[in-house]
Amino acid sequence: MRQRENRMGYAFALPWLLGFFIFTLYPMCSSLYYSFTNYNTLKAPKWIGLRNYIIIFTSDPLFWKSLWNTVYYAVLSVPLGIAAGVLIALLLNQKVKGMRFFRTIFYLPTVVSSVAVSLLWMWILEPNFGLLNTFLKKIGIIGPGWLTDPTWSKNSLILMSLWTVGGGMLIYLAALQDVPESLYEAATIDGAGAFKKFCKITIPMITPTLFYNLITGIIGGLQVFSQAFIMTSGGPSYSTYFYGYHLYNKAFGEYQMGYASSLAWILLVITLLLSLIVFKTSNKWVYYEGK
């Protein structure tokens, strides 16, 4: 009977196992092998050892430029996204009439494809006839070239990233509703104000959710690609030339698949190291109620 149950279990898990081995594990192993080869898809891979990695770190200025742009984007967009998500969740956690409608409105942008969002924001940020500069002109302010000025281009994409803050907001909202009301009642009896309740009760109780969104935000921020690809093509003056865009150009623009695989594994190591740092420091600021 136990062997029969085991066979049934493996049979039910077989579709996922096949998908994992064929579409995840095998491509990862192939990419790791190609990262040590000279491979352009037209000829068989030629083993060159660590040459791709040496070229990346010593002879590829766009690697460092794209890495800096990506880190800049992630360092600003992730905290801003977390702060905006928490603040919106606090507003939508109020018990007032029609709150479900407002929650839906704030969440809807997250289900729109990144291509559609990028096209929409290209129109909003267009320097001459865009919605934002037209509004600024109405109040006597001459708006900058949001996507055409290197000073503003990265910041414009960071501003655009707040458009999809509704996804994080929904998770924060669930965490806020899980905070026991008895804690707030006890704090009220002790004379604590709204701000002190927020700092001493709300934030500590939702730190596991903050921790989760911080990890996923770092991973997503380091993989930014579609906005630059559609809206700016990495410009102006390489100001939005992100790491993912550099990897894409090497793989599908210059067909240097081996080189692109090396870039991908470097990004994986960077993401892994940053995630490990957050995990290692989490015990100092993440509070789990069961502990």
Side-chain angles (χ1 to χ4, degrees):
M1 179 65 71
R2 182 176 298 176
Q3 291 180 352
R4 184 168 176 267
E5 290 179 350
N6 289 338
R7 286 196 297 268
M8 288 294 293
Y10 285 121
F12 281 114
L14 185 61
W16 183 89
L17 291 172
L18 288 175
F20 173 75
F21 284 110
I22 296 174
F23 299 110
T24 302
L25 185 61
Y26 173 73
M28 285 185 65
C29 294
S30 299
S31 173
L32 181 60
Y33 167 72
Y34 291 144
S35 70
F36 298 103
T37 66
N38 181 10
Y39 181 43
N40 62 1
T41 71
L42 299 177
K43 298 180 181 179
K46 181 181 178 182
W47 183 268
I48 58 174
L50 295 174
R51 188 181 304 172
N52 284 332
Y53 293 95
I54 294 172
I55 293 174
I56 288 172
F57 286 107
T58 61
S59 306
D60 186 357
L62 288 180
F63 164 75
W64 297 107
K65 181 67 175 178
S66 63
L67 185 60
W68 159 248
N69 288 336
T70 305
V71 170
Y72 180 93
Y73 177 89
V75 166
L76 291 182
S77 65
V78 173
L80 283 175
I82 291 175
V86 171
L87 291 176
I88 295 174
L90 286 170
L91 292 174
L92 298 181
N93 195 38
Q94 307 302 314
K95 296 178 181 179
V96 297
K97 189 176 181 180
M99 189 54 68
R100 291 183 178 179
F101 170 77
F102 291 107
R103 291 171 182 172
T104 303
I105 292 298
F106 275 97
Y107 180 73
L108 275 179
T110 63
V111 303
V112 182
S113 72
S114 60
V115 175
V117 171
S118 298
L119 293 175
L120 172 65
W121 277 87
M122 284 180 68
W123 171 65
I124 294 175
L125 299 175
E126 206 280 327
N128 298 315
F129 308 104
L131 184 64
L132 184 54
N133 276 3
T134 300
F135 171 75
L136 293 175
K137 188 176 181 180
K138 293 287 185 182
I139 59 176
I141 300 174
I142 300 177
W146 298 100
L147 299 176
T148 57
D149 187 346
T151 306
W152 288 95
S153 54
K154 278 196 293 290
N155 298 321
S156 299
L157 296 185
I158 292 170
L159 172 67
M160 172 186 160
S161 69
L162 298 178
W163 175 261
T164 56
V165 77
M169 173 275 298
L170 196 66
I171 301 175
Y172 293 127
L173 184 60
L176 288 172
Q177 293 181 346
D178 198 42
V179 178
E181 284 291 334
S182 58
L183 297 178
Y184 293 112
E185 293 171 359
T188 301
I189 294 173
D190 290 339
F195 182 74
K196 201 162 189 177
K197 291 179 186 178
F198 175 74
C199 294
K200 299 296 184 179
I201 298 175
T202 304
I203 291 298
M205 292 299 293
I206 67 170
T207 47
T209 305
L210 291 171
F211 171 65
Y212 168 78
N213 278 345
L214 177 60
I215 291 292
T216 56
I218 290 172
I219 295 172
L222 293 177
Q223 293 180 353
V224 58
F225 166 73
S226 58
Q227 298 92 322
F229 178 73
I230 296 169
M231 300 174 67
T232 62
S233 297
S237 302
Y238 293 101
S239 58
T240 59
Y241 193 84
F242 296 120
Y243 196 97
Y245 193 79
H246 184 46
L247 193 157
Y248 173 85
N249 278 341
K250 290 296 181 180
F252 302 104
E254 303 176 16
Y255 296 102
Q256 298 183 28
M257 293 297 178
Y259 194 89
S261 296
S262 302
L263 289 171
W265 278 93
I266 291 172
L267 181 60
L268 174 64
V269 171
I270 293 172
T271 306
L272 181 61
L273 289 175
L274 291 176
S275 300
L276 286 175
I277 291 172
V278 176
F279 269 98
K280 287 293 185 181
T281 58
S282 64
N283 59 352
K284 297 181 180 180
W285 61 277
V286 179
Y287 167 77
Y288 293 101
E289 192 174 2
K291 292 185 178 181

